[in-house]
Amino acid sequence: MKPLIGICANYLSNDAAGMAAGIGAKNQEWQMLADDYIVAIERAGGVPVILPITEDIETLTPLLQKIDGILFSGGSDIDPNYYGEYPKFGLGFIEPKRDAHEIKLAQKVLFEMNVPVLGICRGMQLLTVATGGTLYQDLQSQKPAGINHSVPKALRHHAFHPVEIEKDSILYQIYETTELGVNSFHHQAVKDIGQGFKATMLAPDGIVEGMELQNGDRFVVAVQWHPEMMEAQVSTIRPLFNAFVEKCKLASHNLTLVSSDETIA
């Protein structure tokens, strides 16, 4: 059985996307997801399932009971009120409905479930905020001496800078190297890491580019860059998705065994 992997949708409260594509109406809100996430999970052997943003998180309970892993995707900035700050100059567009939904979802997945988790870009920031960490609201204004981490017009698979990977980490086990070239499309980043996590991948200027939960054998890994944009053209990036989906397969297998045992009993 291929594992079912939930991927969080993006949310747009304005009608720009629909109107530009000619498929929407005025003032219509949208939920959508970049195809890269779907393709990366499918290539790695998983079955991608888009998780919608709902008004009540419990609406997703029947679906969450069936998935074998979850991917927190990229997107808009997170409201700084969630980590005890007022907005600073440079803060980008926020979507309050998505923030409210995903903070609750992340806490539910981390504290009430035991499925593998992969966070990408905003997904890493979300896991940080959901566990009590904080963010740089805008690197250009708050870390001006650092490198440029936001290059929106770049080729999506181009590696802009290297990252250093800690040897004692899941990411090192996955990539089997201490240095990796990654792309860069973020203007926010982790400032104070969340409870239970450790930074295991750093940019040359010290910005956290990867982190993982320190909790035994559970796979909870997040990266600040966008591997889903790179894996098609840069084969050395793909092991992250392979490892994640493999862990989801094991989770699915374990659930099947428990279900079988209960049936026999």
Side-chain angles (χ1 to χ4, degrees):
M1 293 287 291
K2 292 185 176 182
L4 298 177
I5 299 175
I7 309 175
C8 294
N10 212 324
Y11 182 84
L12 297 176
S13 58
N14 61 60
D15 58 15
M19 295 297 286
I23 57 173
K26 194 69 177 172
N27 299 322
Q28 191 171 36
E29 300 178 1
W30 291 87
Q31 299 198 33
M32 57 182 61
L33 183 69
D35 188 53
D36 293 321
Y37 295 103
I38 301 292
V39 174
I41 291 299
E42 184 180 15
R43 280 201 187 108
V47 179
V49 178
I50 299 177
L51 298 179
I53 293 153
T54 55
E55 293 184 3
D56 184 353
I57 193 67
E58 297 307 322
T59 301
L60 292 184
T61 297
L63 186 54
L64 295 177
Q65 291 173 341
K66 295 182 182 299
I67 64 173
D68 305 304
I70 185 166
L71 192 163
F72 288 99
S73 62
S76 55
D77 290 357
I78 296 174
D79 186 339
N81 283 285
Y82 280 104
Y83 48 94
E85 293 185 8
Y86 294 122
K88 298 183 185 297
F89 290 105
L91 178 69
F93 193 72
I94 63 170
E95 286 288 3
K97 185 172 180 177
R98 185 181 186 189
D99 288 344
H101 169 89
E102 285 193 345
I103 291 288
K104 292 176 184 176
L105 179 60
Q107 291 172 339
K108 186 178 185 69
V109 170
L110 290 174
F111 304 137
E112 299 178 27
M113 300 172 65
N114 195 35
V115 296
V117 175
L118 177 61
I120 294 178
C121 198
R122 172 194 158 94
M124 183 167 111
Q125 297 163 9
L126 177 78
L127 294 174
T128 296
V129 174
T131 52
T134 65
L135 306 177
Y136 290 110
Q137 293 187 37
D138 180 63
L139 289 173
Q140 183 176 1
S141 58
Q142 292 183 272
K143 297 281 285 184
I147 63 178
N148 182 3
H149 287 271
S150 179
V151 193
K153 294 183 180 180
L155 291 173
R156 61 183 180 172
H157 64 273
H158 180 67
F160 265 96
H161 65 77
V163 291
E164 183 179 345
I165 306 175
E166 181 183 311
K167 278 194 172 182
D168 184 21
S169 69
I170 295 173
L171 285 166
Y172 179 80
Q173 294 173 14
I174 290 171
Y175 285 115
E176 299 181 331
T177 181
T178 57
E179 186 172 294
L180 187 71
V182 302
N183 57 10
S184 202
F185 295 99
H186 62 99
H187 82 107
Q188 294 196 314
V190 171
K191 182 166 60 175
D192 301 306
I193 206 155
Q195 186 176 359
F197 283 91
K198 66 175 180 178
T200 55
M201 182 180 278
L202 298 176
D205 59 358
I207 292 298
V208 179
E209 293 280 349
M211 67 181 198
E212 49 201 67
L213 191 65
Q214 302 177 83
N215 183 16
D217 295 328
R218 186 177 181 188
F219 186 102
V220 181
V221 175
V223 293
Q224 184 59 72
W225 44 289
H226 281 274
E228 83 285 359
M229 295 184 185
M230 298 183 72
E231 61 87 33
Q233 286 93 350
V234 187
S235 60
T236 53
I237 297 299
R238 196 170 299 164
L240 177 59
F241 291 102
N242 292 341
F244 173 53
V245 171
E246 189 59 35
K247 287 292 184 180
C248 293
K249 286 180 182 177
L250 292 175
S252 175
H253 178 66
N254 290 337
L255 286 173
T256 301
L257 288 178
V258 170
S259 178
S260 297
D261 291 342
E262 289 176 348
T263 302
I264 293 171

